[in-house]
């Protein structure tokens, strides 16, 4: 049985004080969330240690939004997977489209990040997704296939079992435009089929999240799809009520 996950990607939002409040509100509302739904929050690096204190002992898990592609040393401004794990994270987002688009992240960098995250006991939430132009050109399946193959196909089955996938069509991120549940399900099924070709039955156990303008009003329909196992939530994860309402959509 694969895990159901609702993860909040806070991106570069909130101060530490506001982030602690948000985490506190989420913990306080946990009783309203179905027990089999794993909540994850991914605050900015500066917030990880203080937020870890707030969620300590609760069922909320902590994630980073990225990690360095090097283990340690003279890499000014970078934060390593070991450091992230050391403050209590059990997950890290990798390959978010904003990292690929604005910070030049390539599959090669992501292979290195993936290896370091896994070595340090983190479960990577690996993001894939096509740009609008790629969908309009009918090329989205090829783009997603390449993103999966280039970064995940070198992993062992044991490593792959720790990875969570997030399908985030770039045209749906922060735009208010959500993929229809049919569009999302079609890609999720394709992702599972692509993973099955390499990893066999393990693909059935891989959690695949949908991300891109997911909100309380559309989460129910999306999560009802057979291959959608939860959501990676940006904007709507910054309000505890909305985030919890999305988790209640199961
Ligand atoms: P959004 O972001 O929910 O604000 O569209 C999702 C994401 O980028 O993870």
């Amino acid at each position: 049985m694969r895990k159901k996950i609702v993860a909040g990607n806070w991106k570069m939002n909130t101060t530490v004080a506001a982030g602690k409040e948000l985490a506190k509100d989420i913990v306080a509302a946990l009783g309203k969330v179905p027990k089999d739904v794993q909540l994850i929050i991914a605050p900015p690096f500066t917030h990880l240690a203080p937020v870890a204190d707030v969620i300590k002992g609760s069922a909320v898990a902590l994630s980073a939004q990225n990690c360095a592609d090097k283990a340690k040393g003279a890499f000014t401004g970078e934060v390593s997977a070991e450091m992230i794990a050391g403050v209590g994270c059990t997950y890290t987002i990798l390959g978010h489209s904003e990292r690929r688009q604005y910070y030049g992240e390539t599959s090669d960098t992501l292979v290195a990040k993936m290896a370091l995250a896994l070595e340090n006991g983190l479960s990577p939430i690996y993001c894939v997704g096509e740009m609008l132009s790629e969908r309009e050109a009918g090329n989205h399946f090829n783009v997603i296939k390449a993103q999966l193959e280039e970064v995940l196909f070198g992993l062992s089955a044991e490593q792959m079992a720790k990875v969570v996938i997030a399908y985030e069509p770039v045209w749906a991120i922060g735009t208010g435009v959500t993929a229809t549940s049919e569009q999302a399900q079609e890609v999720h099924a394709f992702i599972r089929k692509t993973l099955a070709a390499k990893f066999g039955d393990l693909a059935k156990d891989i959690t695949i999240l949908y991300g891109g303008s997911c909100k309380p009003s559309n989460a129910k329909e999306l999560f009802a799809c057979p291959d959608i196992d939860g959501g990676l939530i940006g904007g709507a994860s910054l309000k505890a009520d909305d985030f919890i309402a999305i988790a209640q959509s199961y």
Side-chain angles (χ1 to χ4, degrees):
M1 265 292 282
R2 50 192 186 250
K3 241 190 208 172
K4 297 172 181 172
I5 292 176
V6 174
N9 174 11
W10 295 5
K11 308 195 179 182
M12 198 170 72
N13 291 298
T14 76
T15 58
V16 170
K20 282 168 69 179
E21 281 309 306
L22 177 54
K24 222 181 269 177
D25 291 344
I26 291 167
V27 171
L30 263 181
K32 300 183 198 163
V33 176
K35 289 268 173 298
D36 59 344
V37 178
Q38 172 71 61
L39 287 191
I40 302 172
I41 51 178
F45 286 135
T46 43
H47 303 31
L48 292 176
V51 167
D53 277 342
V54 173
I55 63 174
K56 205 175 190 163
S58 81
V60 181
L62 192 62
S63 174
Q65 298 173 15
N66 179 30
C67 75
D69 61 342
K70 305 285 193 302
K72 64 163 77 160
F75 302 103
T76 303
E78 290 294 302
V79 179
S80 73
E82 186 182 24
M83 294 169 186
I84 290 163
V87 292
C89 287
T90 46
Y91 292 87
T92 185
I93 297 171
L94 287 181
H96 191 280
S97 63
E98 287 151 16
R99 304 271 344 147
R100 294 180 193 260
Q101 248 185 306
Y102 308 141
Y103 300 96
E105 249 175 40
T106 61
S107 290
D108 285 347
T109 333
L110 286 165
V111 166
K113 292 184 179 202
M114 189 65 65
L116 286 161
L118 288 163
E119 252 170 56
N120 284 284
L122 298 167
S123 284
I125 301 172
Y126 177 59
C127 304
V128 298
E130 80 284 2
M131 316 250 260
L132 183 59
S133 55
E134 292 164 338
R135 178 165 280 265
E136 284 173 346
N139 204 25
H140 47 298
F141 290 120
N142 289 334
V143 168
I144 292 160
K145 190 164 185 237
Q147 290 170 339
L148 294 170
E149 281 178 358
E150 288 167 13
V151 177
L152 300 178
F153 277 24
L155 298 179
S156 67
E158 198 190 332
Q159 289 175 315
M160 186 60 216
K162 304 223 161 64
V163 177
V164 172
I165 311 274
Y167 168 56
E168 301 203 306
V170 179
W171 46 272
I173 296 178
T175 57
V177 180
T178 319
T180 63
S181 51
E182 290 78 18
Q183 285 172 323
Q185 166 57 28
E186 185 185 33
V187 175
H188 280 235
F190 172 78
I191 291 172
R192 207 176 297 287
K193 193 181 83 183
T194 304
L195 293 175
K198 169 73 187 169
F199 296 101
D201 270 354
L202 176 62
K204 289 192 196 125
D205 297 329
I206 303 289
T207 296
I208 308 177
L209 309 178
Y210 169 78
S213 299
C214 184
K215 42 194 178 240
S217 59
N218 58 29
K220 210 181 177 88
E221 191 183 331
L222 286 161
F223 296 174
C225 298
D227 287 293
I228 300 183
D229 310 311
L232 179 56
I233 322 297
S237 73
L238 295 170
K239 284 195 191 132
D241 288 350
D242 285 353
F243 187 56
I244 294 295
I246 290 170
Q248 287 176 307
S249 302
Y250 271 113

